[in-house]
């Protein structure tokens, strides 16, 4: 995840080493692994595995009641089976298994835990899903190159020629500013590559480090480059296309996947989460990134995250596509549409404001000057509209109800937006408007419709057309009314680009 999960977890790792004691006797060698090959029996090559990585529809996964290392210490095969069945129904073709040395036994593997890993791989295979391994999470003993390689080697041996395992991420959210980590990375990559020449190797970077972090890894690993880059996306989804292209350019010609992407529903609505994921999936498609992995399948129950800095961040419990009671959020339908190649839900943009509470991507702008209110007092179609009453205006602008399109935004696009508006004793200025921003959120310009006539008016269609300026990375649509002592209602918005 972002800053968050990797850096907070490294702080917590020394605690976890003490607290998470493997159950059962340690073993100097990995447990025998029963290899099932439901999906394919062909011995994989580096090319075949890398092709699978680049197209994998991967779900980041922990059970709702057992996140992080608790997935393994509280291993529940039946729950995992049910959850992977649910992921399969969404269209997932791969699952990520995050492996903790402090849990699995370090430097000597515990056979009880390698057996649990084998069960996870077999369960994924039952649903036709491959597995991506992430090693060395919540771990920072970078001076121990020999021990870390021996540990990884013993864990990976059963999967050397197993087509169900398609890649190895050597460390989750690798810190390119940690000198010790870089030295370790330079040594561990050639060691693992020599032992597993057909296994694609990667590091991920957190959402804060982004493209700059990947550039640092690329520069450090010149002598022994990794096979692909794993980008974690938790930034602004409105600028997703520009951000993804920037990241691609940073590591080109090495391929890139989006290994984590998500928005929590504690600080945001479920409607915003759904729109966020839809924007990133569509932007990734335009950029040619075929593998986008939502974080995560489930929300987490209280106590599901092991005691750590991560467990103390409330938002970490609310990134799931499903609530803890198993009910799907709106985002689940978005992911299914993206993974199955079907149309996004028609209600995603909530253009007529008929969505249930919490299921709209629209947000208030400058609500202190006038709060947009969903209401049944007036509606052009359906039952609902949005109103603004007794509004103000200041140097920051005019209060509005705003949203960004799902389609990615780029320079020179022609945009057309229309909305129906009605007034009652309206004063001031009521319009619909477009604003464009660059990748750094700098305002580039905007355009507005004609104003609704003041006074009391019947439903009137306002339209606005504009061309995205050079450097545009995002656009916002505003339904705005300023210095209005009366009331206006907005309904039936239409947005299109060409």
């Amino acid at each position: 995840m972002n800053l968050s999960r990797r850096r907070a977890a490294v702080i917590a790792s020394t605690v976890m080493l003490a607290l998470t004691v493997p159950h059962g006797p340690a073993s100097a060698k990995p447990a025998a692994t029963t290899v099932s090959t439901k999906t394919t029996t062909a011995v994989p090559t580096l090319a075949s595995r890398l092709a699978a990585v680049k197209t994998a529809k991967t779900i980041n996964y922990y059970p709702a009641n057992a996140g992080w290392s608790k997935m393994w210490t509280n291993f529940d095969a039946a729950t995992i089976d049910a959850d992977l069945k649910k992921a399969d129904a969404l269209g997932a073709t791969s699952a990520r298994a995050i492996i903790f040395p402090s849990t699995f036994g370090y430097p000597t593997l515990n056979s009880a835990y390698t057996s649990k890993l084998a069960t996870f791989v077999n369960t994924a295979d039952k649903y036709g899903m491959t597995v991506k391994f992430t090693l060395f999470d919540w771990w920072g003993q970078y001076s121990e190159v020999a021990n870390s390689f021996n540990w990884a080697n013993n864990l990976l041996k059963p999967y050397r020629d197993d087509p169900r395992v398609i890649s190895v991420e050597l460390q989750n959210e690798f810190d390119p500013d940690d000198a010790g980590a870089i030295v370790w990375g330079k040594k561990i990559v050639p060691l693992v590559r020599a032992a597993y020449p057909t296994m694609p190797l990667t590091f991920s970077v957190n959402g804060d480090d982004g493209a700059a972090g990947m550039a640092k890894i690329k520069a450090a690993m010149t002598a022994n480059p990794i096979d692909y880059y794993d980008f974690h996306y938790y930034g602004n989804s409105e600028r997703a296309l520009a951000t993804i292209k920037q990241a691609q350019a940073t590591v080109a010609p090495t391929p890139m996947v989006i290994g984590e992407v998500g928005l929590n529903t504690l600080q945001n609505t479920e409607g915003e989460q759904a729109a966020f994921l839809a924007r990133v999936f569509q932007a990734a498609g335009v950029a040619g990134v075929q593998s986008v992995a939502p974080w995560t399948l489930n929300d987490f129950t209280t106590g599901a995250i092991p005691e750590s800095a991560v467990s103390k961040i409330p938002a970490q419990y609310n990134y799931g596509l499903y609530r803890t009671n198993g009910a799907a959020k709106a985002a689940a339908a978005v992911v299914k549409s993206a993974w199955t190649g079907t149309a996004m839900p028609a209600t995603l943009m909530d253009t007529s404001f008929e969505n249930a509470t919490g299921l709209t991507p629209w947000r208030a702008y400058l609500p202190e000057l006038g709060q947009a209110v969903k209401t049944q007092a007036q509606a052009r179609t359906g039952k609902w509209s949005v109103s603004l009453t007794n509004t103000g205006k200041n140097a920051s602008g005019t209060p509005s109800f705003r949203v960004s399109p799902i389609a990615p935004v780029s320079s020179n696009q022609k945009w057309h937006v229309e909305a129906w508006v009605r007034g009652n004793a309206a004063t001031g200025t009521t319009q619909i408007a477009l604003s464009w921003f660059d990748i750094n959120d700098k305002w580039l310009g905007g355009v507005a419709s004609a104003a609704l006539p003041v006074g009391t008016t019947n439903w009137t269609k306002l339209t606005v057309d504009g061309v995205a300026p050079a450097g545009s990375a995002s656009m916002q649509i505003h339904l705005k009314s300023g210095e209005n002592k009366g009331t206006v209602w907005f309904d039936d918005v239409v947005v299109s680009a060409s």
Side-chain angles (χ1 to χ4, degrees):
M1 231 171 199
N2 41 16
L3 173 67
S4 68
R5 189 155 66 81
R6 171 70 187 134
R7 290 182 181 164
V10 167
I11 295 170
S13 65
T14 54
V15 176
M16 292 304 300
L17 281 167
L19 294 181
T20 310
V21 179
H23 301 298
S27 170
K29 57 183 179 180
T33 302
T34 301
V35 176
S36 163
T37 52
K38 173 178 177 289
T39 46
T40 177
T41 56
V43 175
T45 63
L46 180 61
S48 68
R49 276 176 159 150
L50 192 55
V53 166
K54 291 192 289 185
T55 58
K57 299 174 175 65
T58 304
I59 189 67
N60 285 290
Y61 174 69
Y62 293 125
N65 64 351
W68 283 256
S69 59
K70 282 191 176 182
M71 171 172 161
W72 306 105
T73 58
N74 299 352
F75 195 79
D76 185 333
T79 294
I80 291 170
D81 187 287
D83 281 346
L84 293 187
K85 181 178 181 180
K86 187 180 292 185
D88 176 50
L90 291 180
T93 63
S94 188
R96 183 185 183 201
I98 303 177
I99 299 164
F100 302 83
S102 57
T103 303
F104 273 63
Y106 177 88
T108 303
L109 280 167
N110 182 322
S111 60
Y113 284 88
T114 55
S115 178
K116 292 175 183 180
L117 180 61
T119 298
F120 181 83
V121 174
N122 287 336
T123 304
D125 183 55
K126 173 182 174 182
Y127 295 104
M129 297 165 65
T130 59
V131 177
K132 299 170 74 174
F133 284 173
T134 294
L135 310 184
F136 296 105
D137 203 14
W138 283 12
W139 184 90
Q141 294 164 246
Y142 297 120
S143 63
E144 300 187 9
V145 175
N147 274 341
S148 55
F149 170 69
N150 288 336
W151 179 86
N153 186 35
N154 286 329
L155 187 140
L156 293 174
K157 276 179 184 177
Y159 305 100
R160 177 187 173 93
D161 295 321
D162 188 338
R164 302 171 305 163
V165 177
I166 60 173
S167 70
V168 170
E169 179 184 358
L170 290 167
Q171 188 167 52
N172 174 60
E173 298 191 344
F174 185 74
D175 185 356
D177 294 317
D178 185 324
I182 290 294
V183 170
W184 176 83
K186 288 180 177 181
K187 294 178 180 179
I188 200 71
V189 168
L191 288 171
V192 176
R193 173 164 286 125
Y196 300 92
T198 67
M199 188 71 77
L201 304 179
T202 191
F203 289 107
S204 62
V205 295
N206 70 48
D208 294 326
D209 286 340
M214 294 198 304
K216 291 176 183 178
I217 294 174
K218 181 179 180 181
M221 302 294 173
T222 302
N224 289 284
I226 56 179
D227 298 296
Y228 71 98
Y229 284 83
D230 191 311
F231 187 52
H232 289 186
Y233 197 111
Y234 293 94
N236 188 303
S237 66
E238 298 169 12
R239 300 189 286 272
L241 179 58
T243 304
I244 292 168
K245 284 186 172 180
Q246 181 186 65
Q248 286 178 298
T250 299
V251 299
T254 307
M256 184 190 86
V257 302
I258 298 176
E260 289 185 15
V261 59
L263 188 75
N264 75 76
T265 53
L266 178 67
Q267 299 161 316
N268 309 276
T269 68
E270 292 188 9
E272 288 175 299
Q273 181 196 41
F276 178 101
L277 288 170
R279 292 188 193 107
V280 176
F281 268 108
Q282 292 209 2
V286 171
V289 176
Q290 299 178 65
S291 184
V292 178
W295 179 272
T296 178
L297 184 68
N298 301 307
D299 280 349
F300 297 113
T301 59
T302 301
I305 303 176
E307 182 66 24
S308 61
V310 180
S311 68
K312 296 176 175 62
I313 303 173
Q316 295 281 4
Y317 293 79
N318 295 276
Y319 279 85
L321 304 179
Y322 292 87
R323 305 183 196 109
T324 56
N325 64 4
K329 300 180 187 177
V334 166
V335 172
K336 184 173 183 177
S337 295
W339 280 347
T340 59
T342 55
M344 288 288 173
T347 57
L348 186 59
M349 281 281 287
D350 192 24
T351 52
S352 293
F353 311 111
E354 299 295 318
N355 286 6
T357 301
L359 295 181
T360 185
W362 293 80
R363 296 166 290 161
Y365 177 67
L366 297 177
E368 65 275 14
L369 298 176
Q371 177 67 60
V373 176
K374 183 176 173 179
T375 177
Q376 289 185 319
Q378 293 286 345
R380 179 176 175 268
T381 61
K383 296 181 178 180
W384 298 90
S385 66
V386 169
S387 68
L388 284 162
T389 301
N390 195 26
T391 63
K393 184 179 180 179
N394 63 23
S396 297
T398 298
S400 69
F401 210 37
R402 65 175 178 174
V403 76
S404 290
I406 300 302
V409 174
S410 57
S411 304
N412 302 316
Q413 284 175 318
K414 295 180 180 179
W415 286 89
H416 172 81
V417 178
E418 58 189 56
W420 290 84
V421 192
R422 181 170 186 161
N424 180 47
T427 63
T429 304
T430 298
Q431 298 170 298
I432 59 176
L434 310 180
S435 289
W436 286 277
F437 303 83
D438 71 7
I439 193 171
N440 298 311
D441 204 28
K442 178 184 176 182
W443 183 73
L444 299 178
V447 61
S449 70
L452 180 75
V454 297
T456 299
T457 56
N458 205 340
W459 288 105
T460 302
K461 184 166 74 171
L462 300 183
T463 64
V464 59
D465 293 275
V467 178
S472 291
S474 69
M475 185 183 84
Q476 293 178 355
I477 302 157
H478 289 257
L479 311 179
K480 56 193 288 188
S481 186
E483 297 180 319
N484 181 5
K485 297 187 181 303
T487 299
V488 291
W489 296 267
F490 296 89
D491 204 358
D492 298 332
V493 180
V494 174
V495 181
S496 60
S498 60

